[in-house]
Amino acid sequence: MSNCNGRSKEIDRLLREQDYMVQPFVEEIKNGEWSFLFFNGKYSHCSLKTPKQGDFRVQHYHGGSISYPTPDPKHIEQAGIYVESLPEPTLYARVDGVLINDSFSLMELELIEPYLFLNSNTLLLENYYQALIALL
């Protein structure tokens, strides 16, 4: 019990120093985190970030990998509901989440995230360019 009390004190100390965002752990992250990209509310593309074997962290600097699978249209639609619910249109939105019982479950809605998984793909760059031109 004393170890738990020590952790609580450490957490309290950290919270006095800066703010944190905490997400609950979901086992499905081990199957990967989907990122659906929307430009001006229109679906453009997605990526799947998968952790290395035995880990849960999907970031490449933790050994995770990125692939570009063709998603199930129902998952695009489910992710799109979050974009449609925004109070104002945005140039881009990245909807990150996992699949739980074959249903998309939101983890993060990125509206200021600079990483859009374009990877110099001409078609994806064109999607973004056209969305930007439409706003001008």
Side-chain angles (χ1 to χ4, degrees), residues 75-93:
H75 299 142
I76 298 171
E77 184 179 335
Q78 291 167 343
I81 291 170
Y82 297 102
V83 177
E84 292 168 4
S85 71
L86 294 172
E88 294 183 30
T90 61
L91 171 59
Y92 65 84

Side-chain angles (χ1 to χ4, degrees), residues 3 5 10 23-24 28 33 43 51 54 72 74 91 96 99 109 117 125 129 135:
N3 192 20
N5 191 20
E10 178 68 9
Q23 293 175 308
E28 289 81 0
E33 177 181 290
Y43 173 75
D72 187 316
K74 75 178 179 183
L91 171 59
D96 292 349
L99 300 181
L109 180 56
F117 299 98
L125 289 167
Y129 172 77
L135 284 180

Side-chain angles (χ1 to χ4, degrees), residues 18-128:
Q18 61 184 343
D19 295 328
Y20 291 86
M21 180 176 75
V22 179
Q23 293 175 308
F25 180 79
V26 292
E27 284 290 326
E28 289 81 0
I29 192 68
K30 293 177 181 178
N31 298 322
E33 177 181 290
W34 290 84
S35 292
F36 292 92
L37 282 293
F38 293 82
F39 300 145
N40 287 341
K42 181 181 175 190
Y43 173 75
S44 172
H45 62 284
C46 78
S47 67
L48 177 62
K49 298 169 290 207
T50 307
K52 70 179 179 183
Q53 185 69 30
D55 203 347
F56 64 90
R57 297 170 295 179
V58 298
Q59 296 83 4
H60 68 279
Y61 47 84
H62 291 297
S65 61
I66 300 172
S67 61
Y68 299 88
T70 301
D72 187 316
K74 75 178 179 183
H75 299 142
I76 298 171
E77 184 179 335
Q78 291 167 343
I81 291 170
Y82 297 102
V83 177
E84 292 168 4
S85 71
L86 294 172
E88 294 183 30
T90 61
L91 171 59
Y92 65 84
R94 196 179 88 196
V95 186
D96 292 349
V98 295
L99 300 181
I100 300 176
N101 297 322
D102 198 34
S103 182
F104 180 80
S105 183
L106 180 69
M107 293 178 68
E108 300 169 0
L109 180 56
E110 301 279 3
L111 304 176
I112 58 171
E113 172 66 43
Y115 200 80
L116 302 176
F117 299 98
L118 300 174
N119 300 328
S120 299
N121 179 310
T122 307
L123 177 62
L124 302 182
L125 289 167
E126 182 66 21
N127 289 350
Y128 186 70

